[in-house]
Amino acid sequence: MYRIFIIEDDDKIGAILKSTMEKYGFEAKRAAQFKDLLGEFASYDPHLVLLDINLPYFDGFYWCRQIRTRSNVPILFISAREGEMDQVMAIENGGDDYLSKPIHLDLLLAKVKGALRRAYGEYAAASAASAAASSELELYGLRLNLSRNELEWQGERTELTKNERLLAEAFMKKPDEIVAREQLLEALWDDVQFVDDNTLTVNVTRLRKKLEEIGIIKAIETVRGQGYRLSADALREAQA
């Protein structure tokens, strides 16, 4: 049984989330120690976290970063904030998805089930099998280690999140080809109809920054209205 850790200080909303998770077969626990959420997280060892932004003592962005220092567990932000920047901050700080309040329970369940499938179920198994079959991709000296989620370029390495690795893999398999936004969304999220398009943009931006960290500039091009393209010329120029 999957364990869901609910970090929500509003008693009414927290109770609804807990009862909904339990109704659909999950084990659920509400956070109680908002000064020591990391300790409570470690003790419960959940498979997924539902995380509010506005919390006592420290906000959800802070706690997401703390959880990421020890775990890659899926984290879904839930917040009354609807601004685009809050969604960007959620992803930048290590979140996997974002839902705005008031919460639509069918959407919440779809996102929870999708995140669990990707992390532990059929999609995770398929990803592991793919990685075992070919643990590394190489393109003009750029190496992507699929098992370690790591990019290497001319001796420099950078670690990737799971979503960044999936994007890098999609681009490196089709250099100089336009990879449609729809195709990238399907690679990252199985419930595409529920994904904010801005979430993909944020993940691509993060991958660009990771490439810049190891010396590859402007390699991922935006093709307006279509998708993105990994420029082989940019890699060849970086080799020089």
Side-chain angles (χ1 to χ4, degrees):
M1 181 182 294
Y2 290 119
R3 295 181 298 278
I4 312 297
F5 189 38
I6 302 167
I7 305 176
E8 167 63 71
D9 63 324
D10 185 293
D11 287 338
K12 183 177 180 180
I13 295 175
I16 291 173
L17 292 175
K18 186 174 186 295
S19 63
T20 299
M21 293 298 100
E22 291 173 341
K23 177 182 177 181
Y24 287 92
F26 302 110
E27 179 182 321
K29 173 183 173 63
R30 287 188 58 198
Q33 304 296 325
F34 289 98
K35 280 188 176 180
D36 185 27
L37 284 172
L38 198 58
E40 198 171 358
F41 167 86
S43 176
Y44 188 53
D45 191 24
H47 295 95
L48 181 141
V49 175
L50 298 178
L51 176 60
D52 191 15
I53 294 177
N54 294 324
L55 296 168
Y57 307 109
F58 301 98
D59 65 21
F61 300 137
Y62 170 84
W63 287 117
C64 187
R65 294 193 302 272
Q66 296 304 304
I67 291 171
R68 282 288 172 256
T69 64
R70 62 172 60 195
S71 175
N72 286 322
V73 63
I75 299 175
L76 277 60
F77 275 90
I78 297 177
S79 176
R81 302 184 186 183
E82 296 182 354
E84 180 177 299
M85 185 50 64
D86 291 306
Q87 298 183 44
V88 171
M89 287 287 291
I91 302 301
E92 289 282 4
N93 281 278
D96 294 281
D97 213 331
Y98 189 101
L99 294 92
S100 298
K101 296 177 182 177
I103 301 166
H104 298 283
L105 295 180
D106 56 344
L107 173 57
L108 171 65
L109 285 167
K111 286 182 176 287
V112 166
K113 291 178 180 179
L116 291 171
R117 282 196 298 270
R118 290 190 299 275
Y120 312 108
E122 58 194 271
Y123 298 107
S127 178
S130 176
S134 177
S135 62
E136 185 175 275
L137 292 177
E138 194 274 337
L139 181 67
Y140 298 107
L142 177 64
R143 291 184 173 85
L144 172 63
N145 189 300
L146 300 172
S147 60
R148 294 202 306 266
N149 287 4
E150 185 178 81
L151 273 175
E152 179 180 353
W153 174 258
Q154 297 183 344
E156 297 292 329
R157 292 184 177 89
T158 185
E159 293 184 5
L160 306 178
T161 65
K162 181 179 180 181
N163 282 352
E164 290 165 357
R165 190 264 294 168
L166 290 170
L167 288 173
E169 183 178 358
F171 291 135
M172 290 179 68
K173 285 181 175 179
K174 295 185 176 181
D176 283 331
E177 295 184 27
I178 298 173
V179 185
R181 296 182 72 89
E182 293 76 13
Q183 182 179 342
L184 294 172
L185 286 168
E186 289 175 359
L188 270 62
W189 300 282
D190 52 302
D191 294 302
V192 175
Q193 59 180 323
F194 295 132
V195 177
D196 187 330
D197 195 54
N198 182 62
T199 306
L200 174 61
T201 302
V202 170
N203 278 273
V204 172
T205 298
R206 289 172 60 178
L207 178 58
R208 283 191 177 117
K209 290 180 180 178
K210 294 292 180 69
L211 288 168
E212 291 174 2
E213 289 176 6
I214 57 176
I216 301 174
I217 310 299
K218 297 180 180 179
I220 301 176
E221 303 171 345
T222 301
V223 183
R224 189 176 298 275
Q226 298 182 61
Y228 299 92
R229 174 172 52 210
L230 177 63
S231 170
D233 285 340
L235 296 178
R236 286 191 287 265
E237 290 173 7
Q239 280 182 315

